[in-house]
Structures are given as structure tokens and as C-alpha cells.
Amino acid sequence: MRGNDFDSIVDTAWRNFRASLADQLFMFTDRSFTWVAQNPEIPDGPHGHLDFEFTRANRLRMTLNPTTLHPDAECYLEQVEMLTELGWRQLRNEKFILERGRRHVDELAAIAVATLRQVWEVLHPAFLTSPLLESPAPWTEPPLNVGVIPGNADQLRALIVTALSEATGTAVELDDDGDVPLPTHPCRSWLQITPDAPRIELFAQLTDRIPDPAAAATYLAAQPTSFNAVRLSLRQGAVFAQMVLDARVFHDRVLTAAMVEWFDFMESDAAEIITTIEGAGADPTADACATGDCAPEEEVPAGLLAVLELAPMSGTVTPEDVAHVCDHDREAMLDYLHRCEEQAVEWGRNAAREIDADEAAACRHERRVWEVTAELLRDALRLVDDNHGMRPAG
């Protein structure tokens, strides 16, 4: 047999193994678990071993124990480098994991095969052992799951919180609007109940940096995503992604399946959409700032700082107080107002992009401070305009 014939046979065997692995992993349900390992009867070691499980978050997870890697330090580091290049990440307990949504099970199976062949140099699937390689268990009819008809928005919200808490194993917190913040990347998103009908909406503001609105509208009109349930739109100067679920009959499995699809969209498509809309995300001042040639950040004027100190007392401070602090200088007050509006927008943008819940809350608080300060300045400007810009006598 010629060498290329042998290689072809081996490649075909791995393709068949990869397809079979992907098919069986796709059928995983709650808490399903299996493994693939090098046959322990082979004398040389250590032996490769991969664990597969279906997590409570409806994700397929592959785990690798570092004790299965080479004991020699130099060889170990080479294998770790291979794992990193394949997309594995190492946890604090030193185990390596890799996760994918059910839609990307083929990719997970391909990485498993690449790990076996490259890291442990397994020559052929015949040198593996696994329950997956045995005869499949006879098919059994799945249990019947019953949905719930929510009586009102509060009941629907309670059903959502319970379902997400059980799926993730963690407590689900609501924000001030009663929405569920979601820790998605590259930007934060939310789950909310629509007020006009029993529907669940997953949404995210992807970006409000739109240098060419016409080009952005044309790009979004084609719905540039492989996730059919996700809709992209341009409104009020920002790009939004949205997924809507009919919740007249609520079922936790429908919700968790939608959550998996939403997280997969945010992970795989959202960043590319943002980059395209923002024009590759280039910052024209980045190079100049790196060399120290850009202008320094402008300091907050002393008069505006004084008004900011009044913001926490907005319930008792009067327009006269603010005008007095600003020395009744209308031009200065207009400048301060403009700065406040810019800062409020910027802090709102930071809150929308922030992943950490505490940091997002801090950003919203900072935005509110600038909004309150802007309101104080508007009231003071109206007072100055009513007085025709004249300083009070004395």
C-alpha cells in the first residue's frame, strides 16, 4: 500500500469519527456526560482523555485534565501552546475547557479530533475507547413537558427568573426597570417583557458610533447574521439587535434554547457587525496619542465643578443659586450645559457596554449626575434669559 493511500484511509476514518461524535453530542440533553480516551492497553503514556458534558446553561463543554499531558516540562509547555491555539482556555484549577453552543457542535467535534491528533498524536480512531464507540442505546420516547399560561407580566417575570436560575445555577438579579441584565460579549444585553403583549424580548444596543448612516442602513437591510431569529435595526442613531419570543404559553426549555442562540449570536456575529458599522473600529487619534502628539484631555472648568457639587442637592437648590455660582455668565453656562450633555451621553454609552453589573450601575449613576447638572443649568439659563442677561443690582 502506498503512503498516500494509507493517509487517505486514516483521514477518512477521522472524518467518520468526527461526524459520529458531532451527531451524538448534538443529541445531548440535561446533564448528559461522556468521554473519549486513548486505549489504556497501549503501553506508552500518558494517555489522552476528553470529557464531554451538557451544562445547565445548555452549552456543550469539553474538559481536559492537565495530568493527561506530557510530564516533561518542555513537552508540557508545547502541548499547552497547541491547546491555546486550538481555542482551549485554562481555569484556576488548571483544567482546560472549551465550550460551544449546540449550533456549533461540528466545530467542537473538529477541535476534539485536532486535540487527539496534534496534542496526543493519536494515529487512528481505532486506538480510542469511549462509550460513544459502542452500540447506541435503544431510542426511548422523551418525557412530555407542559407549558404554563402566565396570568400577567409579574407572573411571567417570575417564571423567567426561576427558569434562568435553574439553568445557570445562580441567582438572577433584576435591574431598576425589572429587566434581566445578560453578561454577553462584546457588549451587554438585556431580557425584558414587552408591555403591550406577553412577549419576551432579548435586545442589545450594539453601537451608536455610526460614521455613515446611509451605508449602515444598507448593510443592516440585508440582516447580516446567520441567526434567523435575530433582527437588526437602525433607530434613533444606534444599531440594535433583537430577538422576540411569544410567551402566551411559557416553557422553560423554549426560553433556554433562545438564550443559547442569543449568546451564540453575541459571541460569533455581534463583534463583526459592530466593526463593520463603525468602519473597522479605527480611532484616527490612536497613533497620535501613542506618540504623545494628541491634545491632552480638557479639564472641567472650575465653574462647572461648582455646579456639579450642587447636583446632589437638586431638590433644594434654586436657579438663582446656579446662576450666582456661574457669575450670571450666559456663555459659560451654555458651555457647561453642552459639556454636561456630552458627558451624560458618554456615561450612558459606557453603561450599555459594561459587562459587570456593579460597574454598569456606577456608570448609570454618573450619567444621572450629569443629567441633573444639565437640568440645573437649563433652569438657570431660563432665569438669566428672563432677566435679559442682566446681573442683579448690588
Side-chain angles (χ1 to χ4, degrees), residues 14 17-18 21-22 25 35-36 48-52 61-64 83 86 88 98 100 104-122 128 132:
W14 280 113
F17 173 78
R18 169 185 166 181
L21 176 62
L25 291 177
W35 50 270
V36 172
H49 186 108
L50 298 175
D51 289 326
F52 300 86
R61 175 182 296 172
M62 187 163 53
T63 305
L64 184 156
L83 292 172
L86 289 171
W88 291 82
L98 191 145
R100 291 292 185 272
H104 300 286
V105 66
D106 290 327
E107 181 183 349
L108 186 77
I111 296 175
V113 168
T115 302
L116 291 166
R117 298 188 72 178
Q118 297 176 25
V119 177
W120 289 302
E121 299 180 349
V122 181
L128 298 175
L132 298 178

Side-chain angles (χ1 to χ4, degrees), residues 19-28 105 131-134 136:
S20 176
L21 176 62
D23 289 343
Q24 296 191 58
L25 291 177
F26 185 80
M27 300 303 295
F28 267 27
V105 66
L132 298 178
L133 302 176
E134 302 171 359

Side-chain angles (χ1 to χ4, degrees), residues 279-299:
D283 182 359
T285 67
D287 293 339
C289 290
T291 59
D293 295 333
C294 65
E297 184 176 351
E298 191 173 358
E299 295 183 358

